[in-house]
Amino acid sequence: MVAKRIRVAAWAMLIAQAIIIVSGGIVRLTGSGLGCTDWPKCTPDSLVTTPEMGIHGLIEFGNRTLAVALAMLGVVIFFMLWKHRKQRPDLFWLNLGLLAIVPFQAVLGGITVWTKLNPWIVAGHFVPSAIAVGVAAYFVRRTYDTGVRTAAKAPSPLPALGWVILGLTAIIVIFGVLTTGAGPHSGSTMSTRNGLDNVWITRSHAFPVWLLVIATVTSLVLAVKKHNVMVRPLVVLLVIEALQGVIGYVQYFTGVPIVLVAFHMIGISATIAASVGVLDSAYPRSTHASTDHAVPVIR
């Protein structure tokens, strides 16, 4: 298993990825999407926000600053893992992938500004962040084992259901960003909506959510019967789904208040991470150095 400092750093990366999602949501919810009117500078004449840009400039520039901090964290972890890259190439490449997403997201963020928050570009801007949360969750889980997959796996059909759960989560994310693009929080008075019917797209978003709940409950019942290690990750996911469902329905029937939308965004990060945890638990890995013939322990 890896040194505690690397595990802590991996958790920091996962939390930071979730914070970036919430930060981006706050930018949109407060109408600060064009708080910085240009990119990569905040204005054509200033790299940072100016007093004239007010609170919206501070919020948007704050989001950009968090992205820089996320990149710096990735660089720190890169150097932490450099000498262990041959021992644990899985950790090294996972972090490198997360680090590579940052400049890609930065450019995509710049395009959203240049297009005056085109709702389709904004939707596309969210997807890499959702993927990064999933990869970061997988990264965290790998720090608790030696990285070597054992021959055993969860009894059928639990692995297949794990893939179904992750697939449904991905679909929910896509429908979620489409629902957001049709909703009232555009990020700026200058931006447009995607033109989709708000009621129709919201109901379409809810359908895979219910399928996810059904798949989770089915998997949990089977895991309990088979005394499988997937029970705990499935319980965690089910609790998150229940909380997300309550928040989602309350926000829909109360006019999509900003606070509830922000909590819903925290919930989607938790849902993605928990779904990854469920699928990964179906394919256990060695947790003891004595059974690891290929990868030594990082200390």
Side-chain angles (χ1 to χ4, degrees):
M1 302 223 305
V2 302
K4 184 177 179 180
R5 66 182 185 279
I6 296 177
R7 184 177 301 125
V8 170
W11 272 106
M13 174 61 77
L14 174 57
I15 294 170
Q17 295 290 353
I19 289 174
I20 282 292
I21 285 181
V22 176
S23 173
I26 291 173
V27 169
R28 176 173 56 81
L29 293 169
T30 57
S32 305
L34 294 175
C36 284
T37 58
D38 200 8
W39 186 89
K41 292 183 176 181
C42 193
T43 72
D45 302 317
S46 176
L47 178 64
V48 301
T49 184
T50 62
E52 293 77 16
M53 303 183 74
I55 186 65
H56 295 308
L58 287 173
I59 293 173
E60 165 62 11
F61 187 73
N63 182 57
R64 296 186 183 190
T65 303
L66 284 174
V68 173
L70 178 62
M72 292 175 63
L73 175 60
V75 171
V76 169
I77 298 175
F78 175 87
F79 285 111
M80 290 174 67
L81 289 170
W82 177 254
K83 66 178 180 180
H84 305 298
R85 65 190 184 281
K86 293 183 179 179
Q87 296 173 290
R88 291 300 302 268
D90 54 338
L91 298 181
F92 179 78
W93 288 106
L94 283 169
N95 179 67
L96 196 62
L98 288 168
L99 187 57
I101 289 176
V102 177
F104 177 78
Q105 275 287 71
V107 173
L108 197 53
I111 295 173
T112 64
V113 173
W114 294 338
T115 60
K116 305 301 181 184
L117 305 188
N118 180 294
W120 299 102
I121 303 297
V122 173
H125 188 39
F126 179 83
V127 173
S129 292
I131 294 172
V133 168
V135 174
Y138 186 76
F139 183 31
V140 167
R141 288 186 63 86
R142 290 289 66 75
T143 65
Y144 284 88
D145 55 45
T146 61
V148 174
R149 181 176 293 176
T150 65
K153 68 176 181 178
S156 180
L158 287 172
L161 284 169
W163 283 106
V164 169
I165 286 171
L166 187 62
L168 286 170
T169 300
I171 293 171
I172 289 166
V173 168
I174 298 300
F175 274 97
V177 296
L178 293 177
T179 302
T180 298
H185 303 298
S186 62
S188 170
T189 55
M190 296 178 61
S191 62
T192 59
R193 303 285 69 209
N194 59 25
L196 298 175
D197 181 83
N198 195 36
V199 174
W200 176 86
I201 193 62
T202 301
R203 291 175 178 174
S204 298
H205 176 46
F207 181 68
V209 170
W210 280 109
L211 290 179
L212 177 62
V213 172
I214 292 171
T216 303
V217 172
T218 301
S219 300
L220 181 57
V221 171
L222 291 173
V224 169
K225 286 183 177 180
K226 298 175 184 292
H227 305 285
N228 188 261
V229 294
M230 291 180 69
V231 171
R232 184 176 178 180
L234 283 164
V235 169
V236 171
L237 176 59
L238 187 60
V239 170
I240 293 172
E241 289 169 357
L243 292 174
Q244 271 290 80
V246 171
I247 294 172
Y249 276 104
V250 171
Q251 73 173 7
Y252 177 75
F253 289 112
T254 56
V256 201
I258 290 176
V259 173
L260 287 182
V261 175
F263 276 108
H264 201 53
M265 297 192 72
I266 295 173
I268 193 58
S269 293
T271 302
I272 294 168
S275 296
V276 169
V278 166
L279 176 59
D280 187 56
S281 66
Y283 301 93
R285 285 170 169 76
S286 169
T287 57
H288 301 287
S290 60
T291 62
D292 182 355
H293 302 294
V295 183
V297 179
I298 293 178
R299 298 188 185 279

